[in-house]
Amino acid sequence: MDHMTIAAIKRQIPFLIGGTVTGIVMSYYLGFLVTILVNSIGWYLISVIVYKVVWRKSGLTDQKILLRYFLSKTKWQKHTQTV
């Protein structure tokens, strides 16, 4: 992995951990569907604010870097059905 990918992963880990923990707690009290909506919106807003204030950059660039990396590691295969 190159330096940019590792840095992007390190910046995304707190959001992944935080979203998972709050999602588990919220799903116990609020239910699954409400938790998906509220937790996703909440952590999106938190990540936007943190990226703008702390790292002074757009979080979208990190997501593009990670998406390109993982898509390059995934081999897309056409599934052919033999009759």
Side-chain angles (χ1 to χ4, degrees):
M1 279 194 274
D2 62 345
H3 177 68
M4 287 177 48
T5 307
I6 292 172
I9 290 172
K10 285 182 181 179
R11 284 190 294 268
Q12 290 291 320
I13 286 177
F15 304 122
L16 178 65
I17 294 170
T20 303
V21 170
T22 56
I24 291 170
V25 172
M26 288 173 63
S27 64
Y28 179 76
Y29 292 107
L30 298 176
F32 188 70
L33 291 176
V34 174
T35 299
I36 289 174
L37 292 173
V38 173
N39 201 28
S40 298
I41 292 168
W43 279 99
Y44 174 74
L45 293 175
I46 290 169
S47 68
V48 167
I49 292 168
V50 169
Y51 265 93
K52 288 188 186 269
V53 173
V54 176
W55 293 302
R56 301 198 188 287
K57 64 188 310 189
S58 170
L60 190 60
T61 55
D62 279 350
Q63 292 172 1
K64 286 180 185 177
I65 291 169
L66 293 174
L67 185 63
R68 266 192 228 121
Y69 174 74
F70 290 116
L71 286 177
S72 71
K73 296 298 178 187
T74 305
K75 295 183 181 183
W76 295 94
Q77 298 177 358
K78 292 183 180 180
H79 296 288
T80 57
Q81 185 178 14
T82 55
V83 180

